[in-house]
Amino acid sequence: MSRTAQPPRFVVCEDGAEYIERFRRFLGGSFAFVPARDLGGALEAIEAAGRGAGAAVDGLLLDLDFRRTPPGRLVDESGRALAGAPLDEGGRRRLTESQGIFILRALRARGIGLPAVLFADLADAEQAGFLERTLAPLVVASSRTGLGEVAALLGRLASRAT
């Protein structure tokens, strides 16, 4: 099957399965979704897609909060894995509540410039704008964004990736 015949492929990075199950169920006819649970999983999914014939990744979809992720699989602000590093409750909360940002920063630092969507309910529009500028190409979208809007957004991202 040629690349043009395959649906656009997105890596969904989240600590659960809510996004990927919802997207596969309702948008799976138009898009393909690959799960990733953390930075390592995202890197593996991107690299595996790059090795497959015509299976490139068109974009990244990231949750913001990774509260269910074991401490050893979290990364800090610089993208370093915290395996074996002790974390107090406040430090863990700070890392988990922004993990999607830290994962995207680590991917960008590794030269991965795929279009991305960060699903985050940020109260501060300036913060969203800052993230979109510094981690471009990025769109910050509410976790409550409707499926029709998500489908349109993914279509736009896929067209930018090709």
Side-chain angles (χ1 to χ4, degrees), residues 65-105:
D65 193 309
F66 281 67
R67 212 166 295 207
R68 296 172 283 194
T69 300
R73 291 181 30 212
L74 296 171
V75 295
D76 66 11
E77 294 88 340
S78 67
R80 287 188 310 258
L82 299 177
L87 276 178
D88 63 20
E89 186 55 36
R92 176 173 166 66
R93 185 175 41 257
R94 183 182 55 76
L95 291 176
T96 60
E97 289 176 354
S98 297
Q99 192 64 192
I101 296 168
F102 299 153
I103 290 169
L104 185 56
R105 277 187 189 155

Side-chain angles (χ1 to χ4, degrees), residues 7-10 27 30-31 33 58-59 61 115 117 147-162:
R9 179 184 304 268
F10 293 89
L27 304 175
S30 301
F31 305 98
F33 300 100
D58 294 286
L61 310 177
V117 177
L147 287 168
E149 290 175 85
V150 170
L153 179 56
L154 298 185
R156 288 193 304 274
L157 292 181
S159 68
R160 290 164 94 186
T162 56

Side-chain angles (χ1 to χ4, degrees), residues 12-90:
V12 180
C13 195
E14 63 179 324
D15 65 341
E18 297 84 6
Y19 282 109
I20 199 158
E21 287 175 1
R22 180 175 172 229
F23 295 159
R24 281 179 172 166
R25 180 174 179 193
F26 295 107
L27 304 175
S30 301
F31 305 98
F33 300 100
V34 179
R37 297 262 212 199
D38 54 23
L39 174 61
L43 288 168
E44 287 174 22
I46 293 164
E47 290 169 8
R51 288 191 301 269
V57 171
D58 294 286
L60 307 165
L61 310 177
L62 301 107
D63 191 7
L64 177 63
D65 193 309
F66 281 67
R67 212 166 295 207
R68 296 172 283 194
T69 300
R73 291 181 30 212
L74 296 171
V75 295
D76 66 11
E77 294 88 340
S78 67
R80 287 188 310 258
L82 299 177
L87 276 178
D88 63 20
E89 186 55 36

Side-chain angles (χ1 to χ4, degrees), residues 125-144:
E126 286 184 31
Q127 182 185 18
F130 174 79
L131 292 171
E132 289 177 342
R133 285 188 309 279
T134 60
L135 296 173
L138 171 67
V139 173
V140 176
S142 169
S143 64
R144 295 179 294 277

